[in-house]
Amino acid sequence: MNLPNGITGFYLGENTKPPNVDGKQFKQLCFAIVSRNGGKVINVSPPQYPVNFYCAHVEFSRDVFYILLNEHYPYLSFASVVAFGEIKFIDVPALHELFSPFYQVIDAAELNVSVDQKMLMKMELNSAELEQAAYWKPQTIGQVIFNYWD
């Protein structure tokens, strides 16, 4: 998976600032999709320093988990655990299908692909992102897309 410039939330200046996704739309979709299918949205958190993603805490099919959306690109995933330094990605096939028309839903297997600095250098990441990656040393694609870097 090639990651676009600004995916981490770091950039060089205002003229290279990455786009932002529509957080209001994400919240509305979470409530509509989850509740229409028998689930419940517990809360939705916007990205707040140092987090670079929206996070919806939901109960669905007797499971409690999270729906994550990158702040800058329409990359969505699901996780069973979301804590500083630890996100455990999971697949939720029923919701994957329902969110797919709106976002690029990334499977857990793809998010758990190992990365190293050499691999990141071949992507579209800018120098500020590469510097952060060198410091934080992400182990997986998921840790680059959904991070707590400051």
Side-chain angles (χ1 to χ4, degrees):
M1 173 175 208
N2 186 24
L3 300 179
N5 176 31
I7 189 78
T8 67
F10 289 88
Y11 51 93
L12 301 171
E14 284 302 312
N15 59 339
T16 61
K17 187 175 181 179
N20 284 323
V21 297
D22 185 343
K24 185 176 180 182
Q25 178 189 31
F26 172 66
K27 186 174 182 177
Q28 290 170 339
L29 286 169
C30 285
F31 276 97
I33 290 171
V34 171
S35 62
R36 244 191 260 133
N37 291 280
K40 177 176 119 182
V41 175
I42 298 166
N43 75 328
V44 179
S45 304
Q48 294 179 332
Y49 176 83
V51 177
N52 78 331
F53 55 88
Y54 291 88
C55 182
H57 190 194
V58 302
E59 185 178 329
F60 185 79
S61 296
R62 297 189 203 131
D63 293 320
V64 177
F65 57 90
Y66 303 89
I67 304 170
L68 310 180
L69 178 67
N70 181 273
E71 177 180 14
H72 299 288
Y73 290 93
Y75 294 167
L76 185 133
S77 70
F78 306 100
S80 59
V81 174
V82 177
F84 185 83
E86 180 184 20
I87 298 176
K88 290 188 180 179
F89 297 105
I90 60 172
D91 292 321
V92 183
L95 290 182
H96 183 287
E97 184 179 316
L98 296 171
F99 277 98
S100 290
F102 307 99
Y103 304 109
Q104 181 177 338
V105 182
I106 308 171
D107 294 331
E110 192 167 5
L111 291 164
N112 289 319
V113 167
S114 294
V115 295
D116 59 24
Q117 197 68 20
K118 198 180 274 188
M119 184 178 173
L120 292 173
M121 296 282 288
K122 295 177 183 175
M123 297 186 184
E124 296 177 31
L125 304 179
N126 63 58
S127 60
E129 293 177 293
L130 293 172
E131 185 178 309
Q132 290 296 317
Y135 178 80
W136 291 101
K137 297 179 182 24
Q139 301 296 305
T140 65
I141 291 285
Q143 291 175 350
V144 176
I145 298 172
F146 302 100
N147 68 65
Y148 286 87
W149 304 348
D150 61 0

